[in-house]
Amino acid sequence: MADILSLVFRTYMHKKALKEAGSGVVVPASTVLVGEQSISRSVLMLAAVTAASHMGMRVMFFTHTRIQSLPPSLQRCVPNLSPESLKKIQFSYPRTVEELLQQVASLHESTNTSPAPPSLIIVDRLECFLRSHSRFPQGEQSCAAHVCALLCDAAAFFSQKLESQGSSSGPCRLITSFLPEAHAEKAEGGPSATDPVLDVLDRYFEVRCTLDPDRGYGATAAGAAELWSVYLSGRGLAKDRVGVTQEWQLFVFPDALMEFKLV
């Protein structure tokens, strides 16, 4: 069974491209999404809705900024989203990394009252939480390691519960988005360097999914407003030796419709 981002890519591919894609790419259970907030949140929301509506998963969505309404891209891609599907997504709004740690650590308590454990945990804009730390004197790297370790521990716990319940939606997946300072500087034409915090995240997350804006003429030629190159890398891809695709394109059209294409 394809994992969440793989399902997102294939679900929202152009129909002609889907026929040519074959089995496509399988993204493993833990992924860090690296890219600008506007596009990364749209992909995270699309992943949450796809998991809830297509796979019946319960989703925990942690975000620093309150979501007042569904992004236009999501409304355009999933116009007939049922209220029942949205009920499977639980949003939580911790303000600091301490609150995030506390809420993740107490997730297991909700399984005593909820019908099923979460099968997908999403953390939006992890860098906002890491930069709010106050009790990690070693800095953001230490804070990142602590958060990632707790997230992985929670996912492992829920994976065991899902397996013991005979659920078909296990194991529990992890997806987070992160915008390193070097990535932001590169987008603005400034210097680019390896972010030490991103190196920490790569130790915990099996796949890195990088979203880079394509400033060529591809978007105009396709009638799109934006074009993003989607690069997959990481040790998780080595598990799938046959049929692995490591590069996609994401088109965002003027009406907010999003489409993925294999490269």
Side-chain angles (χ1 to χ4, degrees), residues 68-95:
Q68 303 291 348
S69 61
L70 296 178
S73 56
L74 189 61
Q75 298 180 36
R76 184 67 178 87
C77 291
V78 196
N80 300 317
L81 184 62
S82 70
E84 291 303 314
S85 294
L86 283 177
K87 289 180 182 178
K88 294 181 183 296
I89 306 173
Q90 181 178 344
F91 292 95
S92 186
Y93 302 100
R95 294 167 297 175

mmCIF file with all atom_site columns, all heavy atoms in Angstrom, residues 68-95:
data_model
loop_
_atom_site.group_PDB
_atom_site.id
_atom_site.type_symbol
_atom_site.label_atom_id
_atom_site.label_alt_id
_atom_site.label_comp_id
_atom_site.label_asym_id
_atom_site.label_entity_id
_atom_site.label_seq_id
_atom_site.pdbx_PDB_ins_code
_atom_site.Cartn_x
_atom_site.Cartn_y
_atom_site.Cartn_z
_atom_site.occupancy
_atom_site.B_iso_or_equiv
_atom_site.pdbx_formal_charge
_atom_site.auth_seq_id
_atom_site.auth_comp_id
_atom_site.auth_asym_id
_atom_site.auth_atom_id
_atom_site.pdbx_PDB_model_num
ATOM 1   N N   . GLN A 1 68 ? -8.132  29.041 9.919   1.00 0.00 ? 68 GLN A N   1
ATOM 2   C CA  . GLN A 1 68 ? -9.490  29.593 9.951   1.00 0.00 ? 68 GLN A CA  1
ATOM 3   C C   . GLN A 1 68 ? -10.391 28.963 8.901   1.00 0.00 ? 68 GLN A C   1
ATOM 4   O O   . GLN A 1 68 ? -11.603 28.837 9.104   1.00 0.00 ? 68 GLN A O   1
ATOM 5   C CB  . GLN A 1 68 ? -9.433  31.121 9.738   1.00 0.00 ? 68 GLN A CB  1
ATOM 6   C CG  . GLN A 1 68 ? -8.572  31.859 10.747  1.00 0.00 ? 68 GLN A CG  1
ATOM 7   C CD  . GLN A 1 68 ? -9.171  31.853 12.142  1.00 0.00 ? 68 GLN A CD  1
ATOM 8   O OE1 . GLN A 1 68 ? -10.321 31.499 12.344  1.00 0.00 ? 68 GLN A OE1 1
ATOM 9   N NE2 . GLN A 1 68 ? -8.367  32.249 13.133  1.00 0.00 ? 68 GLN A NE2 1
ATOM 10  N N   . SER A 1 69 ? -9.787  28.564 7.767   1.00 0.00 ? 69 SER A N   1
ATOM 11  C CA  . SER A 1 69 ? -10.575 27.962 6.687   1.00 0.00 ? 69 SER A CA  1
ATOM 12  C C   . SER A 1 69 ? -9.658  27.084 5.850   1.00 0.00 ? 69 SER A C   1
ATOM 13  O O   . SER A 1 69 ? -8.427  27.203 5.921   1.00 0.00 ? 69 SER A O   1
ATOM 14  C CB  . SER A 1 69 ? -11.222 29.036 5.812   1.00 0.00 ? 69 SER A CB  1
ATOM 15  O OG  . SER A 1 69 ? -10.226 29.857 5.203   1.00 0.00 ? 69 SER A OG  1
ATOM 16  N N   . LEU A 1 70 ? -10.249 26.218 5.060   1.00 0.00 ? 70 LEU A N   1
ATOM 17  C CA  . LEU A 1 70 ? -9.461  25.353 4.192   1.00 0.00 ? 70 LEU A CA  1
ATOM 18  C C   . LEU A 1 70 ? -8.794  26.186 3.101   1.00 0.00 ? 70 LEU A C   1
ATOM 19  O O   . LEU A 1 70 ? -9.413  27.108 2.561   1.00 0.00 ? 70 LEU A O   1
ATOM 20  C CB  . LEU A 1 70 ? -10.349 24.286 3.548   1.00 0.00 ? 70 LEU A CB  1
ATOM 21  C CG  . LEU A 1 70 ? -10.995 23.275 4.503   1.00 0.00 ? 70 LEU A CG  1
ATOM 22  C CD1 . LEU A 1 70 ? -11.873 22.318 3.713   1.00 0.00 ? 70 LEU A CD1 1
ATOM 23  C CD2 . LEU A 1 70 ? -9.936  22.503 5.279   1.00 0.00 ? 70 LEU A CD2 1
ATOM 24  N N   . PRO A 1 71 ? -7.515  25.901 2.774   1.00 0.00 ? 71 PRO A N   1
ATOM 25  C CA  . PRO A 1 71 ? -6.844  26.640 1.702   1.00 0.00 ? 71 PRO A CA  1
ATOM 26  C C   . PRO A 1 71 ? -7.618  26.509 0.389   1.00 0.00 ? 71 PRO A C   1
ATOM 27  O O   . PRO A 1 71 ? -8.247  25.480 0.129   1.00 0.00 ? 71 PRO A O   1
ATOM 28  C CB  . PRO A 1 71 ? -5.475  25.945 1.602   1.00 0.00 ? 71 PRO A CB  1
ATOM 29  C CG  . PRO A 1 71 ? -5.294  25.244 2.904   1.00 0.00 ? 71 PRO A CG  1
ATOM 30  C CD  . PRO A 1 71 ? -6.659  24.849 3.353   1.00 0.00 ? 71 PRO A CD  1
ATOM 31  N N   . PRO A 1 72 ? -7.596  27.563 -0.459  1.00 0.00 ? 72 PRO A N   1
ATOM 32  C CA  . PRO A 1 72 ? -8.294  27.490 -1.749  1.00 0.00 ? 72 PRO A CA  1
ATOM 33  C C   . PRO A 1 72 ? -7.868  26.287 -2.587  1.00 0.00 ? 72 PRO A C   1
ATOM 34  O O   . PRO A 1 72 ? -8.691  25.685 -3.277  1.00 0.00 ? 72 PRO A O   1
ATOM 35  C CB  . PRO A 1 72 ? -7.908  28.811 -2.426  1.00 0.00 ? 72 PRO A CB  1
ATOM 36  C CG  . PRO A 1 72 ? -7.599  29.733 -1.303  1.00 0.00 ? 72 PRO A CG  1
ATOM 37  C CD  . PRO A 1 72 ? -6.983  28.885 -0.240  1.00 0.00 ? 72 PRO A CD  1
ATOM 38  N N   . SER A 1 73 ? -6.577  25.933 -2.516  1.00 0.00 ? 73 SER A N   1
ATOM 39  C CA  . SER A 1 73 ? -6.099  24.789 -3.282  1.00 0.00 ? 73 SER A CA  1
ATOM 40  C C   . SER A 1 73 ? -6.785  23.505 -2.843  1.00 0.00 ? 73 SER A C   1
ATOM 41  O O   . SER A 1 73 ? -7.120  22.639 -3.666  1.00 0.00 ? 73 SER A O   1
ATOM 42  C CB  . SER A 1 73 ? -4.583  24.631 -3.124  1.00 0.00 ? 73 SER A CB  1
ATOM 43  O OG  . SER A 1 73 ? -4.235  24.518 -1.758  1.00 0.00 ? 73 SER A OG  1
ATOM 44  N N   . LEU A 1 74 ? -7.030  23.373 -1.546  1.00 0.00 ? 74 LEU A N   1
ATOM 45  C CA  . LEU A 1 74 ? -7.686  22.176 -1.033  1.00 0.00 ? 74 LEU A CA  1
ATOM 46  C C   . LEU A 1 74 ? -9.154  22.149 -1.451  1.00 0.00 ? 74 LEU A C   1
ATOM 47  O O   . LEU A 1 74 ? -9.688  21.108 -1.843  1.00 0.00 ? 74 LEU A O   1
ATOM 48  C CB  . LEU A 1 74 ? -7.562  22.128 0.482   1.00 0.00 ? 74 LEU A CB  1
ATOM 49  C CG  . LEU A 1 74 ? -8.020  20.838 1.158   1.00 0.00 ? 74 LEU A CG  1
ATOM 50  C CD1 . LEU A 1 74 ? -7.197  19.664 0.662   1.00 0.00 ? 74 LEU A CD1 1
ATOM 51  C CD2 . LEU A 1 74 ? -7.893  20.953 2.665   1.00 0.00 ? 74 LEU A CD2 1
ATOM 52  N N   . GLN A 1 75 ? -9.814  23.300 -1.379  1.00 0.00 ? 75 GLN A N   1
ATOM 53  C CA  . GLN A 1 75 ? -11.212 23.377 -1.795  1.00 0.00 ? 75 GLN A CA  1
ATOM 54  C C   . GLN A 1 75 ? -11.357 23.048 -3.275  1.00 0.00 ? 75 GLN A C   1
ATOM 55  O O   . GLN A 1 75 ? -12.346 22.440 -3.691  1.00 0.00 ? 75 GLN A O   1
ATOM 56  C CB  . GLN A 1 75 ? -11.765 24.771 -1.511  1.00 0.00 ? 75 GLN A CB  1
ATOM 57  C CG  . GLN A 1 75 ? -11.770 25.152 -0.033  1.00 0.00 ? 75 GLN A CG  1
ATOM 58  C CD  . GLN A 1 75 ? -12.316 26.549 0.201   1.00 0.00 ? 75 GLN A CD  1
ATOM 59  O OE1 . GLN A 1 75 ? -13.232 26.994 -0.478  1.00 0.00 ? 75 GLN A OE1 1
ATOM 60  N NE2 . GLN A 1 75 ? -11.753 27.258 1.165   1.00 0.00 ? 75 GLN A NE2 1
ATOM 61  N N   . ARG A 1 76 ? -10.343 23.432 -4.044  1.00 0.00 ? 76 ARG A N   1
ATOM 62  C CA  . ARG A 1 76 ? -10.406 23.176 -5.500  1.00 0.00 ? 76 ARG A CA  1
ATOM 63  C C   . ARG A 1 76 ? -10.103 21.713 -5.810  1.00 0.00 ? 76 ARG A C   1
ATOM 64  O O   . ARG A 1 76 ? -10.740 21.112 -6.681  1.00 0.00 ? 76 ARG A O   1
ATOM 65  C CB  . ARG A 1 76 ? -9.389  24.079 -6.213  1.00 0.00 ? 76 ARG A CB  1
ATOM 66  C CG  . ARG A 1 76 ? -9.415  23.978 -7.732  1.00 0.00 ? 76 ARG A CG  1
ATOM 67  C CD  . ARG A 1 76 ? -10.697 24.520 -8.314  1.00 0.00 ? 76 ARG A CD  1
ATOM 68  N NE  . ARG A 1 76 ? -10.674 24.451 -9.766  1.00 0.00 ? 76 ARG A NE  1
ATOM 69  C CZ  . ARG A 1 76 ? -11.053 23.384 -10.471 1.00 0.00 ? 76 ARG A CZ  1
ATOM 70  N NH1 . ARG A 1 76 ? -11.456 22.300 -9.841  1.00 0.00 ? 76 ARG A NH1 1
ATOM 71  N NH2 . ARG A 1 76 ? -10.994 23.408 -11.780 1.00 0.00 ? 76 ARG A NH2 1
ATOM 72  N N   . CYS A 1 77 ? -9.133  21.126 -5.095  1.00 0.00 ? 77 CYS A N   1
ATOM 73  C CA  . CYS A 1 77 ? -8.752  19.742 -5.363  1.00 0.00 ? 77 CYS A CA  1
ATOM 74  C C   . CYS A 1 77 ? -9.775  18.746 -4.825  1.00 0.00 ? 77 CYS A C   1
ATOM 75  O O   . CYS A 1 77 ? -9.970  17.675 -5.394  1.00 0.00 ? 77 CYS A O   1
ATOM 76  C CB  . CYS A 1 77 ? -7.374  19.443 -4.757  1.00 0.00 ? 77 CYS A CB  1
ATOM 77  S SG  . CYS A 1 77 ? -6.003  20.267 -5.562  1.00 0.00 ? 77 CYS A SG  1
ATOM 78  N N   . VAL A 1 78 ? -10.388 19.083 -3.692  1.00 0.00 ? 78 VAL A N   1
ATOM 79  C CA  . VAL A 1 78 ? -11.349 18.170 -3.060  1.00 0.00 ? 78 VAL A CA  1
ATOM 80  C C   . VAL A 1 78 ? -12.660 18.931 -2.854  1.00 0.00 ? 78 VAL A C   1
ATOM 81  O O   . VAL A 1 78 ? -13.017 19.292 -1.723  1.00 0.00 ? 78 VAL A O   1
ATOM 82  C CB  . VAL A 1 78 ? -10.817 17.648 -1.711  1.00 0.00 ? 78 VAL A CB  1
ATOM 83  C CG1 . VAL A 1 78 ? -11.617 16.436 -1.254  1.00 0.00 ? 78 VAL A CG1 1
ATOM 84  C CG2 . VAL A 1 78 ? -9.341  17.288 -1.793  1.00 0.00 ? 78 VAL A CG2 1
ATOM 85  N N   . PRO A 1 79 ? -13.408 19.169 -3.940  1.00 0.00 ? 79 PRO A N   1
ATOM 86  C CA  . PRO A 1 79 ? -14.599 20.014 -3.829  1.00 0.00 ? 79 PRO A CA  1
ATOM 87  C C   . PRO A 1 79 ? -15.738 19.370 -3.045  1.00 0.00 ? 79 PRO A C   1
ATOM 88  O O   . PRO A 1 79 ? -16.580 20.070 -2.484  1.00 0.00 ? 79 PRO A O   1
ATOM 89  C CB  . PRO A 1 79 ? -14.995 20.243 -5.295  1.00 0.00 ? 79 PRO A CB  1
ATOM 90  C CG  . PRO A 1 79 ? -14.430 19.061 -6.024  1.00 0.00 ? 79 PRO A CG  1
ATOM 91  C CD  . PRO A 1 79 ? -13.160 18.719 -5.313  1.00 0.00 ? 79 PRO A CD  1
ATOM 92  N N   . ASN A 1 80 ? -15.790 18.047 -3.013  1.00 0.00 ? 80 ASN A N   1
ATOM 93  C CA  . ASN A 1 80 ? -16.904 17.351 -2.359  1.00 0.00 ? 80 ASN A CA  1
ATOM 94  C C   . ASN A 1 80 ? -16.469 16.693 -1.055  1.00 0.00 ? 80 ASN A C   1
ATOM 95  O O   . ASN A 1 80 ? -16.930 15.603 -0.713  1.00 0.00 ? 80 ASN A O   1
ATOM 96  C CB  . ASN A 1 80 ? -17.493 16.303 -3.311  1.00 0.00 ? 80 ASN A CB  1
ATOM 97  C CG  . ASN A 1 80 ? -18.023 16.925 -4.593  1.00 0.00 ? 80 ASN A CG  1
ATOM 98  O OD1 . ASN A 1 80 ? -18.679 17.958 -4.546  1.00 0.00 ? 80 ASN A OD1 1
ATOM 99  N ND2 . ASN A 1 80 ? -17.717 16.303 -5.714  1.00 0.00 ? 80 ASN A ND2 1
ATOM 100 N N   . LEU A 1 81 ? -15.607 17.363 -0.321  1.00 0.00 ? 81 LEU A N   1
ATOM 101 C CA  . LEU A 1 81 ? -15.113 16.817 0.933   1.00 0.00 ? 81 LEU A CA  1
ATOM 102 C C   . LEU A 1 81 ? -16.246 16.732 1.945   1.00 0.00 ? 81 LEU A C   1
ATOM 103 O O   . LEU A 1 81 ? -16.936 17.715 2.219   1.00 0.00 ? 81 LEU A O   1
ATOM 104 C CB  . LEU A 1 81 ? -13.996 17.704 1.479   1.00 0.00 ? 81 LEU A CB  1
ATOM 105 C CG  . LEU A 1 81 ? -13.294 17.235 2.747   1.00 0.00 ? 81 LEU A CG  1
ATOM 106 C CD1 . LEU A 1 81 ? -12.611 15.901 2.516   1.00 0.00 ? 81 LEU A CD1 1
ATOM 107 C CD2 . LEU A 1 81 ? -12.280 18.272 3.193   1.00 0.00 ? 81 LEU A CD2 1
ATOM 108 N N   . SER A 1 82 ? -16.439 15.545 2.493   1.00 0.00 ? 82 SER A N   1
ATOM 109 C CA  . SER A 1 82 ? -17.555 15.336 3.415   1.00 0.00 ? 82 SER A CA  1
ATOM 110 C C   . SER A 1 82 ? -17.183 15.789 4.826   1.00 0.00 ? 82 SER A C   1
ATOM 111 O O   . SER A 1 82 ? -16.018 15.696 5.238   1.00 0.00 ? 82 SER A O   1
ATOM 112 C CB  . SER A 1 82 ? -17.951 13.861 3.445   1.00 0.00 ? 82 SER A CB  1
ATOM 113 O OG  . SER A 1 82 ? -16.944 13.089 4.079   1.00 0.00 ? 82 SER A OG  1
ATOM 114 N N   . PRO A 1 83 ? -18.165 16.269 5.595   1.00 0.00 ? 83 PRO A N   1
ATOM 115 C CA  . PRO A 1 83 ? -17.903 16.640 6.987   1.00 0.00 ? 83 PRO A CA  1
ATOM 116 C C   . PRO A 1 83 ? -17.382 15.472 7.812   1.00 0.00 ? 83 PRO A C   1
ATOM 117 O O   . PRO A 1 83 ? -16.590 15.664 8.741   1.00 0.00 ? 83 PRO A O   1
ATOM 118 C CB  . PRO A 1 83 ? -19.279 17.106 7.491   1.00 0.00 ? 83 PRO A CB  1
ATOM 119 C CG  . PRO A 1 83 ? -20.020 17.520 6.261   1.00 0.00 ? 83 PRO A CG  1
ATOM 120 C CD  . PRO A 1 83 ? -19.535 16.593 5.188   1.00 0.00 ? 83 PRO A CD  1
ATOM 121 N N   . GLU A 1 84 ? -17.806 14.252 7.479   1.00 0.00 ? 84 GLU A N   1
ATOM 122 C CA  . GLU A 1 84 ? -17.349 13.080 8.210   1.00 0.00 ? 84 GLU A CA  1
ATOM 123 C C   . GLU A 1 84 ? -15.838 12.882 8.053   1.00 0.00 ? 84 GLU A C   1
ATOM 124 O O   . GLU A 1 84 ? -15.166 12.452 8.979   1.00 0.00 ? 84 GLU A O   1
ATOM 125 C CB  . GLU A 1 84 ? -18.098 11.836 7.742   1.00 0.00 ? 84 GLU A CB  1
ATOM 126 C CG  . GLU A 1 84 ? -19.567 11.821 8.134   1.00 0.00 ? 84 GLU A CG  1
ATOM 127 C CD  . GLU A 1 84 ? -19.753 11.939 9.647   1.00 0.00 ? 84 GLU A CD  1
ATOM 128 O OE1 . GLU A 1 84 ? -19.044 11.227 10.392  1.00 0.00 ? 84 GLU A OE1 1
ATOM 129 O OE2 . GLU A 1 84 ? -20.593 12.746 10.079  1.00 0.00 ? 84 GLU A OE2 1
ATOM 130 N N   . SER A 1 85 ? -15.323 13.179 6.870   1.00 0.00 ? 85 SER A N   1
ATOM 131 C CA  . SER A 1 85 ? -13.881 13.058 6.642   1.00 0.00 ? 85 SER A CA  1
ATOM 132 C C   . SER A 1 85 ? -13.126 14.082 7.461   1.00 0.00 ? 85 SER A C   1
ATOM 133 O O   . SER A 1 85 ? -12.080 13.783 8.053   1.00 0.00 ? 85 SER A O   1
ATOM 134 C CB  . SER A 1 85 ? -13.559 13.225 5.155   1.00 0.00 ? 85 SER A CB  1
ATOM 135 O OG  . SER A 1 85 ? -14.100 12.164 4.393   1.00 0.00 ? 85 SER A OG  1
ATOM 136 N N   . LEU A 1 86 ? -13.640 15.315 7.510   1.00 0.00 ? 86 LEU A N   1
ATOM 137 C CA  . LEU A 1 86 ? -12.979 16.367 8.276   1.00 0.00 ? 86 LEU A CA  1
ATOM 138 C C   . LEU A 1 86 ? -12.969 16.051 9.769   1.00 0.00 ? 86 LEU A C   1
ATOM 139 O O   . LEU A 1 86 ? -12.046 16.437 10.487  1.00 0.00 ? 86 LEU A O   1
ATOM 140 C CB  . LEU A 1 86 ? -13.677 17.707 8.037   1.00 0.00 ? 86 LEU A CB  1
ATOM 141 C CG  . LEU A 1 86 ? -13.376 18.401 6.713   1.00 0.00 ? 86 LEU A CG  1
ATOM 142 C CD1 . LEU A 1 86 ? -14.200 19.673 6.583   1.00 0.00 ? 86 LEU A CD1 1
ATOM 143 C CD2 . LEU A 1 86 ? -11.894 18.723 6.586   1.00 0.00 ? 86 LEU A CD2 1
ATOM 144 N N   . LYS A 1 87 ? -13.975 15.335 10.237  1.00 0.00 ? 87 LYS A N   1
ATOM 145 C CA  . LYS A 1 87 ? -14.034 14.975 11.658  1.00 0.00 ? 87 LYS A CA  1
ATOM 146 C C   . LYS A 1 87 ? -12.907 14.035 12.056  1.00 0.00 ? 87 LYS A C   1
ATOM 147 O O   . LYS A 1 87 ? -12.575 13.915 13.237  1.00 0.00 ? 87 LYS A O   1
ATOM 148 C CB  . LYS A 1 87 ? -15.387 14.342 11.982  1.00 0.00 ? 87 LYS A CB  1
ATOM 149 C CG  . LYS A 1 87 ? -16.556 15.315 11.963  1.00 0.00 ? 87 LYS A CG  1
ATOM 150 C CD  . LYS A 1 87 ? -17.857 14.608 12.281  1.00 0.00 ? 87 LYS A CD  1
ATOM 151 C CE  . LYS A 1 87 ? -19.037 15.568 12.217  1.00 0.00 ? 87 LYS A CE  1
ATOM 152 N NZ  . LYS A 1 87 ? -20.323 14.873 12.479  1.00 0.00 ? 87 LYS A NZ  1
ATOM 153 N N   . LYS A 1 88 ? -12.324 13.350 11.067  1.00 0.00 ? 88 LYS A N   1
ATOM 154 C CA  . LYS A 1 88 ? -11.217 12.436 11.359  1.00 0.00 ? 88 LYS A CA  1
ATOM 155 C C   . LYS A 1 88 ? -9.902  13.184 11.580  1.00 0.00 ? 88 LYS A C   1
ATOM 156 O O   . LYS A 1 88 ? -8.909  12.594 11.988  1.00 0.00 ? 88 LYS A O   1
ATOM 157 C CB  . LYS A 1 88 ? -11.051 11.434 10.208  1.00 0.00 ? 88 LYS A CB  1
ATOM 158 C CG  . LYS A 1 88 ? -12.223 10.474 10.030  1.00 0.00 ? 88 LYS A CG  1
ATOM 159 C CD  . LYS A 1 88 ? -11.965 9.516  8.887   1.00 0.00 ? 88 LYS A CD  1
ATOM 160 C CE  . LYS A 1 88 ? -13.157 8.605  8.648   1.00 0.00 ? 88 LYS A CE  1
ATOM 161 N NZ  . LYS A 1 88 ? -13.422 7.733  9.795   1.00 0.00 ? 88 LYS A NZ  1
ATOM 162 N N   . ILE A 1 89 ? -9.886  14.495 11.265  1.00 0.00 ? 89 ILE A N   1
ATOM 163 C CA  . ILE A 1 89 ? -8.683  15.314 11.428  1.00 0.00 ? 89 ILE A CA  1
ATOM 164 C C   . ILE A 1 89 ? -8.842  16.157 12.685  1.00 0.00 ? 89 ILE A C   1
ATOM 165 O O   . ILE A 1 89 ? -9.763  16.966 12.782  1.00 0.00 ? 89 ILE A O   1
ATOM 166 C CB  . ILE A 1 89 ? -8.450  16.220 10.209  1.00 0.00 ? 89 ILE A CB  1
ATOM 167 C CG1 . ILE A 1 89 ? -8.438  15.404 8.918   1.00 0.00 ? 89 ILE A CG1 1
ATOM 168 C CG2 . ILE A 1 89 ? -7.135  16.978 10.365  1.00 0.00 ? 89 ILE A CG2 1
ATOM 169 C CD1 . ILE A 1 89 ? -8.385  16.257 7.663   1.00 0.00 ? 89 ILE A CD1 1
ATOM 170 N N   . GLN A 1 90 ? -7.953  15.987 13.634  1.00 0.00 ? 90 GLN A N   1
ATOM 171 C CA  . GLN A 1 90 ? -7.988  16.774 14.869  1.00 0.00 ? 90 GLN A CA  1
ATOM 172 C C   . GLN A 1 90 ? -6.856  17.783 14.841  1.00 0.00 ? 90 GLN A C   1
ATOM 173 O O   . GLN A 1 90 ? -5.675  17.426 14.785  1.00 0.00 ? 90 GLN A O   1
ATOM 174 C CB  . GLN A 1 90 ? -7.855  15.869 16.097  1.00 0.00 ? 90 GLN A CB  1
ATOM 175 C CG  . GLN A 1 90 ? -7.916  16.633 17.412  1.00 0.00 ? 90 GLN A CG  1
ATOM 176 C CD  . GLN A 1 90 ? -7.834  15.725 18.623  1.00 0.00 ? 90 GLN A CD  1
ATOM 177 O OE1 . GLN A 1 90 ? -8.025  14.518 18.515  1.00 0.00 ? 90 GLN A OE1 1
ATOM 178 N NE2 . GLN A 1 90 ? -7.545  16.299 19.780  1.00 0.00 ? 90 GLN A NE2 1
ATOM 179 N N   . PHE A 1 91 ? -7.203  19.070 14.878  1.00 0.00 ? 91 PHE A N   1
ATOM 180 C CA  . PHE A 1 91 ? -6.216  20.134 14.858  1.00 0.00 ? 91 PHE A CA  1
ATOM 181 C C   . PHE A 1 91 ? -5.866  20.549 16.284  1.00 0.00 ? 91 PHE A C   1
ATOM 182 O O   . PHE A 1 91 ? -6.727  20.623 17.158  1.00 0.00 ? 91 PHE A O   1
ATOM 183 C CB  . PHE A 1 91 ? -6.741  21.348 14.085  1.00 0.00 ? 91 PHE A CB  1
ATOM 184 C CG  . PHE A 1 91 ? -6.902  21.109 12.622  1.00 0.00 ? 91 PHE A CG  1
ATOM 185 C CD1 . PHE A 1 91 ? -8.132  20.724 12.100  1.00 0.00 ? 91 PHE A CD1 1
ATOM 186 C CD2 . PHE A 1 91 ? -5.836  21.247 11.759  1.00 0.00 ? 91 PHE A CD2 1
ATOM 187 C CE1 . PHE A 1 91 ? -8.296  20.490 10.734  1.00 0.00 ? 91 PHE A CE1 1
ATOM 188 C CE2 . PHE A 1 91 ? -5.974  21.020 10.395  1.00 0.00 ? 91 PHE A CE2 1
ATOM 189 C CZ  . PHE A 1 91 ? -7.216  20.632 9.887   1.00 0.00 ? 91 PHE A CZ  1
ATOM 190 N N   . SER A 1 92 ? -4.587  20.802 16.493  1.00 0.00 ? 92 SER A N   1
ATOM 191 C CA  . SER A 1 92 ? -4.114  21.253 17.798  1.00 0.00 ? 92 SER A CA  1
ATOM 192 C C   . SER A 1 92 ? -3.158  22.422 17.582  1.00 0.00 ? 92 SER A C   1
ATOM 193 O O   . SER A 1 92 ? -2.379  22.418 16.616  1.00 0.00 ? 92 SER A O   1
ATOM 194 C CB  . SER A 1 92 ? -3.411  20.112 18.535  1.00 0.00 ? 92 SER A CB  1
ATOM 195 O OG  . SER A 1 92 ? -3.069  20.495 19.842  1.00 0.00 ? 92 SER A OG  1
ATOM 196 N N   . TYR A 1 93 ? -3.198  23.419 18.472  1.00 0.00 ? 93 TYR A N   1
ATOM 197 C CA  . TYR A 1 93 ? -2.462  24.662 18.252  1.00 0.00 ? 93 TYR A CA  1
ATOM 198 C C   . TYR A 1 93 ? -1.516  24.997 19.406  1.00 0.00 ? 93 TYR A C   1
ATOM 199 O O   . TYR A 1 93 ? -1.705  26.002 20.108  1.00 0.00 ? 93 TYR A O   1
ATOM 200 C CB  . TYR A 1 93 ? -3.451  25.810 18.032  1.00 0.00 ? 93 TYR A CB  1
ATOM 201 C CG  . TYR A 1 93 ? -4.382  25.593 16.876  1.00 0.00 ? 93 TYR A CG  1
ATOM 202 C CD1 . TYR A 1 93 ? -5.682  25.142 17.085  1.00 0.00 ? 93 TYR A CD1 1
ATOM 203 C CD2 . TYR A 1 93 ? -3.964  25.817 15.569  1.00 0.00 ? 93 TYR A CD2 1
ATOM 204 C CE1 . TYR A 1 93 ? -6.545  24.931 16.017  1.00 0.00 ? 93 TYR A CE1 1
ATOM 205 C CE2 . TYR A 1 93 ? -4.816  25.617 14.491  1.00 0.00 ? 93 TYR A CE2 1
ATOM 206 C CZ  . TYR A 1 93 ? -6.108  25.163 14.727  1.00 0.00 ? 93 TYR A CZ  1
ATOM 207 O OH  . TYR A 1 93 ? -6.955  24.956 13.670  1.00 0.00 ? 93 TYR A OH  1
ATOM 208 N N   . PRO A 1 94 ? -0.489  24.193 19.625  1.00 0.00 ? 94 PRO A N   1
ATOM 209 C CA  . PRO A 1 94 ? 0.500   24.560 20.655  1.00 0.00 ? 94 PRO A CA  1
ATOM 210 C C   . PRO A 1 94 ? 1.242   25.825 20.236  1.00 0.00 ? 94 PRO A C   1
ATOM 211 O O   . PRO A 1 94 ? 1.539   26.027 19.061  1.00 0.00 ? 94 PRO A O   1
ATOM 212 C CB  . PRO A 1 94 ? 1.424   23.345 20.691  1.00 0.00 ? 94 PRO A CB  1
ATOM 213 C CG  . PRO A 1 94 ? 1.263   22.700 19.343  1.00 0.00 ? 94 PRO A CG  1
ATOM 214 C CD  . PRO A 1 94 ? -0.142  22.941 18.932  1.00 0.00 ? 94 PRO A CD  1
ATOM 215 N N   . ARG A 1 95 ? 1.554   26.667 21.212  1.00 0.00 ? 95 ARG A N   1
ATOM 216 C CA  . ARG A 1 95 ? 2.208   27.947 20.905  1.00 0.00 ? 95 ARG A CA  1
ATOM 217 C C   . ARG A 1 95 ? 3.714   27.870 21.020  1.00 0.00 ? 95 ARG A C   1
ATOM 218 O O   . ARG A 1 95 ? 4.425   28.661 20.403  1.00 0.00 ? 95 ARG A O   1
ATOM 219 C CB  . ARG A 1 95 ? 1.673   29.031 21.846  1.00 0.00 ? 95 ARG A CB  1
ATOM 220 C CG  . ARG A 1 95 ? 0.198   29.369 21.655  1.00 0.00 ? 95 ARG A CG  1
ATOM 221 C CD  . ARG A 1 95 ? -0.325  30.200 22.799  1.00 0.00 ? 95 ARG A CD  1
ATOM 222 N NE  . ARG A 1 95 ? -0.270  29.461 24.067  1.00 0.00 ? 95 ARG A NE  1
ATOM 223 C CZ  . ARG A 1 95 ? -0.580  29.977 25.240  1.00 0.00 ? 95 ARG A CZ  1
ATOM 224 N NH1 . ARG A 1 95 ? -0.948  31.243 25.327  1.00 0.00 ? 95 ARG A NH1 1
ATOM 225 N NH2 . ARG A 1 95 ? -0.503  29.238 26.339  1.00 0.00 ? 95 ARG A NH2 1
#
